Amino acid sequence: MDGVYSAQPCTAYTSCWSCVSSSSRCGYFDNTGSCVPGGWLNPQANYTASGDVWRYFHGQCYVSTRVEFVLLPAVLGLAVLAAAVVAVWRCVPARWCGLGPGEDDTLSCTTSEAGSYYGDHHHSHRHHHHRAEEHMPLLIDSDPASRQPAGAASRNADGGSSHPAPVALKGETEKVDAFFADKEHTNNWAVLVCTSRFWFNYRHMANTLSMYRTVKRLGIPDSQIILMLADDAACNPRNSRPAAVYDHPRKTIDLYGDNIEVDYRGYEVTVESFIRMLTGRVAPETPRNKRLLTDEKSNILVYMTGHGGEDFLKFQDSEEINSYDIADAFQQMWEKQRYREILFVIDTCQANTMFSKFYSPNILSIGSSEKGENSLSYFHDYDLGVSVIDRFTYYNLKFFETLDMSSKQTLADLVATYNHSLIRSHPGVRTDLFSRSLEKTYLTDFFGSVQNIELTREPFPIGRKSG
């Protein structure tokens, strides 16, 4: 290059001025203080023969401060080499992708498959199948043993290779994905809470036990019911019918009976225990019957009764839970995928204010009374000396007595029966957070059981093995 421009090499010049003013077409590096071949032509065409750009500097010197001038060829060479290696790596002899040694065909395989043919081929071949299975689409057929990973080679009896197994069609894969992504609920749970204690609050315990009897009759098992009773009226010394609780003066149905499972009893019923149970933030030693083991496909009925007021409900006559507490607990449940839909039903004074602060999706709320209204009792039992049920709960249960597990009655049918002249208050229904209309929501979606089944990916053995 020096021979082209001048007999004197550029390195002979030691200053910017002498370097750029020479006839040798040299360029001056300001950051290194060196004169190198390349030079400049003029301010309008300041590109060197090697492609570097020189900038105007110190009045007369066109110089470059880019060290890439020296490193550029090396960097470009490494980039080209890396691209070539990647191209070769992604398209290698087919035997490297598990089709067996001795086959010269090539195919486009992933980086995880390429390079697996090292050392013992059969050993690496097994690893290849393991990796392929992790990404294979699910195929549903009558013979699970016949399934093979998509794109993997099928083998004949003597270990030789044959034609590759067929891959799943796109439509089949989408159907499978849609099946497992289906958000239809598969299980129902009920959380039934009586927050009042003392004998004169007998009706609140009767309210809860009446609802407990209804959901059990409609198919929800005890294993999916959380029953919380703040007091035990059945064993109260004032009870003239020991070990029994009734919701009607005729005393035809013993709500307590021999088949009842109380999960939280007496002083176990607190605001803290209620919120912990809903959100799943319980102690490790908590038994199963005190845990709400729901998931993202669970429909949950939450029924509460007791003494309350505007935006609060009393627990044990000593503490309160407010509408913000319940709203935040439901939001935690939604974020942790602990429910699909919730039906919140509350029977207390000014009940409708208790769901006014809800903001989580898929929650339908029903209350017994508006703000400023009382929720009144019904049926006074002169033998026991107390009222045995509240009006709102009584008329709900009266409607439920006409249902069975196969009923197609909807929540719209239930709400249509609410009569102010009978209930003596104005029940409220909040639907803005709920994704379905009341006309399309069956009562058994919350108060009953579901017979839907969910298929699993692997067969489950049933019965004992012979021998």
Side-chain angles (χ1 to χ4, degrees):
M1 183 174 174
D2 292 342
V4 175
Y5 297 120
S6 173
Q8 187 173 9
C10 294
T11 54
Y13 302 101
T14 58
S15 67
C16 172
W17 175 251
S18 62
C19 178
V20 300
S21 62
S22 67
S23 61
S24 58
R25 301 297 192 271
C26 300
Y28 187 77
F29 267 111
D30 180 62
N31 62 326
T32 61
S34 59
C35 187
V36 297
W40 57 277
L41 301 177
N42 54 63
Q44 287 75 31
N46 59 343
Y47 289 90
T48 68
S50 60
D52 283 287
V53 181
W54 306 96
R55 66 181 180 85
Y56 190 73
F57 188 76
H58 288 314
Q60 296 295 327
C61 297
Y62 291 93
V63 300
S64 172
T65 58
R66 296 172 56 197
V67 296
E68 292 87 348
F69 180 82
V70 177
L71 299 179
L72 181 61
V75 172
L76 290 176
L78 290 175
V80 172
L81 179 61
V85 170
V86 171
V88 173
W89 187 257
R90 293 182 61 86
C91 189
V92 296
R95 59 193 182 93
W96 284 28
C97 292
L99 294 183
E103 298 181 14
D104 297 328
D105 297 332
T106 59
L107 54 81
S108 176
C109 55
T110 63
T111 303
S112 62
E113 292 169 329
S116 64
Y117 188 74
Y118 292 104
D120 179 34
H121 167 75
H122 299 287
H123 174 75
S124 59
H125 180 66
R126 287 193 297 268
H127 283 282
H128 161 73
H129 277 290
H130 175 70
R131 286 191 296 272
E133 287 172 358
E134 294 176 353
H135 304 283
M136 81 171 183
L138 179 64
L139 300 175
I140 296 180
D141 52 40
S142 59
D143 183 11
S146 65
R147 299 179 190 166
Q148 295 196 27
S154 59
R155 299 281 170 174
N156 54 30
D158 59 0
S161 60
S162 60
H163 296 290
V167 298
L169 297 178
K170 182 178 180 181
E172 294 176 348
T173 304
E174 291 176 349
K175 290 180 181 179
V176 171
D177 292 340
F179 174 81
F180 286 103
D182 185 14
K183 292 301 181 181
E184 184 179 358
H185 84 287
T186 59
N187 57 94
N188 285 4
W189 286 71
V191 177
L192 312 176
V193 187
C194 168
T195 65
S196 299
R197 64 182 301 103
F198 306 123
W199 174 251
F200 54 82
N201 291 318
Y202 181 103
R203 67 187 184 278
H204 294 154
M205 183 175 175
N207 289 345
T208 309
L209 290 176
S210 298
M211 195 64 67
Y212 172 78
R213 173 182 174 272
T214 296
V215 297
K216 283 189 67 174
R217 183 179 63 82
L218 293 178
I220 302 181
D222 267 315
S223 59
Q224 292 172 212
I225 300 174
I226 304 294
L227 180 59
M228 307 180 76
L229 300 179
D231 203 351
D232 192 357
C235 298
N236 192 295
R238 298 183 181 182
N239 191 354
S240 60
R241 298 292 182 93
V245 175
Y246 301 97
D247 62 358
H248 198 283
R250 291 197 295 266
K251 300 181 178 62
T252 55
I253 300 176
D254 180 7
L255 301 175
Y256 210 76
D258 299 326
N259 188 23
I260 181 175
E261 296 183 14
V262 183
D263 302 296
Y264 290 80
R265 185 189 302 270
Y267 289 110
E268 292 180 329
V269 181
T270 64
V271 173
E272 179 182 358
S273 64
F274 174 66
I275 293 178
R276 286 187 178 277
M277 179 269 300
L278 288 179
T279 59
R281 300 169 64 182
V282 296
E285 64 273 11
T286 303
R288 187 189 185 283
N289 69 302
K290 295 180 183 290
R291 296 173 182 262
L292 185 64
L293 302 176
T294 55
D295 54 35
E296 72 276 9
K297 294 188 178 182
S298 302
N299 278 10
I300 307 175
L301 165 67
V302 179
Y303 173 85
M304 304 185 74
T305 183
H307 288 291
E310 183 180 352
D311 287 314
F312 74 89
L313 179 67
K314 293 168 65 175
F315 269 67
Q316 300 280 1
D317 214 33
S318 61
E319 61 176 344
E320 300 170 353
I321 189 172
N322 61 50
S323 55
Y324 294 95
D325 296 330
I326 302 178
D328 291 341
F330 285 166
Q331 178 61 21
Q332 287 187 49
M333 294 176 68
W334 175 254
E335 292 174 352
K336 297 164 72 172
Q337 297 184 345
R338 289 178 60 80
Y339 75 88
R340 178 181 178 269
E341 293 175 333
I342 289 178
L343 173 60
F344 179 76
V345 182
I346 184 167
D347 189 352
T348 187
C349 298
Q350 307 186 64
N352 299 350
T353 63
M354 286 299 294
F355 49 76
S356 61
K357 305 302 186 293
F358 290 179
Y359 55 94
S360 304
N362 295 349
I363 299 180
L364 176 64
S365 305
I366 301 177
S368 61
S369 53
E370 292 181 344
K371 179 180 176 180
E373 285 186 331
N374 292 327
S375 185
L376 303 179
S377 62
Y378 198 43
F379 287 143
H380 187 83
D381 188 314
Y382 292 94
D383 181 25
L384 298 175
V386 291
S387 297
V388 293
I389 198 168
D390 282 320
R391 286 179 174 269
F392 175 74
T393 297
Y394 171 78
Y395 283 105
N396 276 282
L397 296 172
K398 183 178 180 180
F399 181 83
F400 282 123
E401 288 300 312
T402 64
L403 307 182
D404 57 27
M405 287 188 289
S406 61
S407 173
K408 297 300 181 181
Q409 295 278 10
T410 66
L411 277 165
D413 298 324
L414 172 64
V415 173
T417 65
Y418 293 162
N419 188 332
H420 170 66
S421 62
L422 298 176
I423 300 176
R424 306 288 178 86
S425 62
H426 294 86
V429 182
R430 182 179 176 185
T431 61
D432 59 301
L433 299 175
F434 198 62
S435 59
R436 295 188 287 164
S437 65
L438 298 184
E439 291 77 10
K440 296 182 179 179
T441 305
Y442 296 124
L443 286 168
T444 51
D445 285 349
F446 293 97
F447 292 90
S449 64
V450 292
Q451 283 81 36
N452 296 344
I453 61 173
E454 181 175 353
L455 300 180
T456 60
R457 293 176 179 264
E458 299 297 334
F460 186 81
I462 301 177
R464 299 180 178 179
K465 295 182 179 179
S466 59

